[in-house]
Amino acid sequence: MGFFLIFFPEEEEEDEINNKKLKPSITFNTLLRRTSSVHLVSKAQSTISICALLVFFSLLLFTLSTFEPTATPSFPRRQLSSIKLYKPMNKPRPNLRPIESVHAFQGMGSLYTRGSKGMNSLIICHVMDTVAVNELGLFLRLVLRSSLTSRSDLLFVFPTGKSNIYDYVVRQENDSFLELITRFKELNESSELGASFDVTQFVKSSEKMKGSVETIWGRKIRSGNFSGENETELTQLSYGSVVGFEVDELDPENSLAGFMDHVPLSLRRWACYTLLLGRLRRKFKHVMLVDVKDVLLLGDPLGRVKNQSPESVYFSTTAKHGRKNNHQKDVITPSIISGGARGIRRLANSMVTEIVRVAMQHKRKNSVTDSVVLNQLVGNELLTSNIKVVVSSESIPEASSLGSVVLSDHSVVRRGNSNFEDIRVALMKHICSFKLESSVYSSDC
């Protein structure tokens, strides 16, 4: 009889065998975990380094952005030959804040002069492609000297790509005017240095300036002293802001381009007004629209609309010779329009709609003019039912029909067919006859 024996290994021997089998796998897993940990640590260090670099560069850019370098405008030689250089300011203005090279409003436009306070009125001046720099210079010089800019902001609408051409002249004229009113203030308003306009309107008592609202143009200033004057002084300067926009900034999509082959600035400006006044809603009480090429402002024509309702719009007329019997007929001119901010905004909306309607009816789309459209619009009571139309009974005089002294007695004159150089000589002759102004505009006197 045989025996079949089965031998079982002891537990210790079995555990030892199993440990030998598992040891390689345990070592491999441990190695993987160590590698993964090293990779995560390296990745975390890289992430931290990148974040630190981003923070460093952000702080560097923020620090650099706080400095405002004084940029000297550069012009091609052809442009320089057409620019009339004005008398540089030799005397520093310690009490006036230097011009900031910043955007005028919501990341758009250029701020030429930051006003001493917020104003109730806005003058919008559109500059046609054909306006020369010396024409713009004279227009701005006259507007600044008028009483308008002591209570109004001045806004220019430039053709696309042309703002850099006019920039130098605008800044020089602003400097000259600020120098003029500063000299008047520093001389304690001495009667020995007379001026052709009322300079006292630009010098207000400190009590009246207290509580003034800050202007909306440019960067907000934390200090409550907007005019840049010493609070201990009895009088402070009071003047409006001067800003400029290109049409592509206000109307980036060229709203009227789909209805006509070429949209001139005289028509496109109405779309700009619609967008601009929509953003400036309730910021201004009165608005004036002015054509730099055709009109010169010597006084304050806004006075006639300040007692009118916000929906009122004041239209001026010019005498036009008719084809039959050569008789004169007064027609509404689009060169100067004033009124309440609400009424001007509604007029701009109606003009855009009417321009589109007229353009679609005309076979020759480029024959549409703002003068024709405006006269059709004002003549249609149904289209102007939401505004109060006020048409002047007196037409705007033309500069050529007035003498140098009589010329200065009018608040608004038309250039018309007058020679620009003749107008400039006549006006500067009158300005230079006053000692204070001749000392500032000595290069033209």
Side-chain angles (χ1 to χ4, degrees):
M1 185 179 209
F3 293 90
F4 179 71
L5 300 176
I6 301 175
F7 297 94
F8 293 94
E10 295 181 1
E11 292 181 0
E12 295 180 358
E13 294 178 355
E14 184 177 359
D15 291 339
E16 185 178 354
I17 294 170
N18 291 333
N19 289 336
K20 290 180 179 180
K21 293 179 179 179
L22 293 172
K23 189 173 183 179
S25 61
I26 292 173
T27 304
F28 180 70
N29 291 335
T30 302
L31 181 62
L32 285 176
R33 283 197 293 271
R34 289 179 180 176
T35 305
S36 178
S37 299
V38 172
H39 180 67
L40 289 175
V41 171
S42 176
K43 188 174 182 180
Q45 290 177 347
S46 300
T47 304
I48 293 173
S49 300
I50 293 173
C51 292
L53 287 173
L54 289 175
V55 172
F56 172 76
F57 283 116
S58 298
L59 292 174
L60 180 62
L61 290 174
F62 177 78
T63 304
L64 293 176
S65 65
T66 57
F67 295 96
E68 296 293 343
T70 303
T72 302
S74 58
F75 300 94
R77 292 185 177 179
R78 293 180 181 178
Q79 295 177 8
L80 279 174
S81 62
S82 62
I83 293 179
K84 179 181 179 181
L85 300 179
Y86 296 89
K87 177 181 177 290
M89 295 297 101
N90 299 321
K91 181 180 178 182
R93 304 193 311 273
N95 294 329
L96 293 176
R97 184 179 298 108
I99 297 174
E100 301 174 350
S101 299
V102 297
H103 291 300
F105 186 70
Q106 295 183 352
M108 302 182 300
S110 299
L111 177 66
Y112 298 113
T113 297
R114 183 181 175 83
S116 58
K117 62 179 182 178
M119 298 296 177
N120 291 327
S121 302
L122 177 66
I123 306 171
I124 305 178
C125 311
H126 68 278
V127 184
M128 302 295 290
D129 296 344
T130 56
V131 174
V133 288
N134 57 343
E135 293 176 319
L136 176 62
L138 180 63
F139 174 88
L140 180 56
R141 179 176 298 184
L142 297 175
V143 175
L144 292 174
R145 291 170 55 264
S146 70
S147 58
L148 275 170
T149 51
S150 64
R151 297 180 293 272
S152 308
D153 289 335
L154 192 60
L155 186 150
F156 287 100
V157 178
F158 295 118
T160 301
K162 291 290 188 70
S163 61
N164 61 331
I165 300 176
Y166 303 116
D167 182 88
Y168 182 75
V169 175
V170 174
R171 294 189 185 277
Q172 287 296 314
E173 282 298 331
N174 287 338
D175 283 345
S176 298
F177 177 72
L178 292 176
E179 174 70 9
L180 192 153
I181 59 177
T182 303
R183 287 187 185 182
F184 179 85
K185 180 177 178 295
E186 290 175 349
L187 293 170
N188 296 322
E189 300 144 31
S190 172
S191 59
E192 296 179 359
L193 293 179
S196 62
F197 65 101
D198 187 6
V199 191
T200 58
Q201 297 194 47
F202 296 91
V203 182
K204 305 293 184 181
S205 66
S206 298
E207 292 296 327
K208 291 184 178 180
M209 294 292 288
K210 285 183 179 180
S212 299
V213 180
E214 183 182 1
T215 179
I216 63 172
W217 309 110
R219 296 174 179 171
K220 290 186 177 180
I221 299 175
R222 295 180 181 179
S223 173
N225 185 17
F226 306 131
S227 64
E229 297 293 331
N230 193 337
E231 293 182 357
T232 61
E233 295 185 6
L234 297 177
T235 58
Q236 296 181 8
L237 297 180
S238 174
Y239 51 89
S241 300
V242 180
V243 298
F245 295 86
E246 290 192 356
V247 290
D248 280 350
E249 293 179 297
L250 301 176
D251 181 27
E253 297 182 359
N254 197 355
S255 308
L256 300 174
F259 304 97
M260 55 187 66
D261 301 330
H262 172 67
V263 186
L265 182 58
S266 59
L267 296 179
R268 191 179 178 186
R269 67 187 177 105
W270 293 102
C272 295
Y273 299 157
T274 300
L275 298 174
L276 178 64
L277 296 177
R279 294 189 179 190
L280 296 177
R281 188 184 298 267
R282 299 184 181 91
K283 298 294 184 181
F284 296 94
K285 293 182 179 180
H286 307 97
V287 178
M288 179 185 293
L289 311 177
V290 182
D291 182 1
V292 173
K293 184 71 175 179
D294 190 49
V295 173
L296 294 175
L297 299 177
L298 305 175
D300 184 7
L302 270 176
R304 57 195 176 190
V305 300
K306 289 184 178 179
N307 295 327
Q308 301 288 338
S309 64
E311 294 83 10
S312 62
V313 180
Y314 193 95
F315 297 96
S316 300
T317 58
T318 58
K320 184 178 180 181
H321 292 281
R323 293 181 179 179
K324 295 181 180 180
N325 301 326
N326 198 27
H327 68 281
Q328 288 188 348
K329 178 183 178 182
D330 289 342
V331 296
I332 294 174
T333 174
S335 298
I336 179 169
I337 302 172
S338 57
R342 189 183 304 169
I344 295 294
R345 186 173 65 250
R346 291 177 179 177
L347 174 67
N349 294 335
S350 299
M351 278 293 293
V352 171
T353 304
E354 189 67 8
I355 289 170
V356 172
R357 187 187 68 81
V358 174
M360 293 179 66
Q361 290 180 348
H362 279 63
K363 294 181 180 180
R364 297 178 58 188
K365 299 182 181 298
N366 292 334
S367 62
V368 179
T369 63
D370 61 339
S371 178
V372 173
V373 174
L374 180 63
N375 278 270
Q376 290 181 1
L377 179 66
V378 176
N380 191 328
E381 295 182 358
L382 181 63
L383 298 178
T384 57
S385 58
N386 60 345
I387 63 175
K388 181 181 177 182
V389 176
V390 181
V391 180
S392 173
S393 58
E394 298 181 1
S395 60
I396 302 175
E398 190 168 328
S400 61
S401 62
L402 304 172
S404 58
V405 178
V406 181
L407 184 65
S408 61
D409 293 337
H410 292 76
S411 60
V412 184
V413 295
R414 287 184 63 245
R415 285 178 52 185
N417 298 323
S418 307
N419 183 275
F420 169 76
E421 189 60 24
D422 294 339
I423 299 175
R424 190 193 70 80
V425 170
L427 288 171
M428 289 310 303
K429 181 179 180 181
H430 176 67
I431 291 173
C432 294
S433 63
F434 295 85
K435 191 172 181 180
L436 177 61
E437 291 172 275
S438 63
S439 64
V440 175
Y441 302 115
S442 59
S443 60
D444 292 331
C445 292

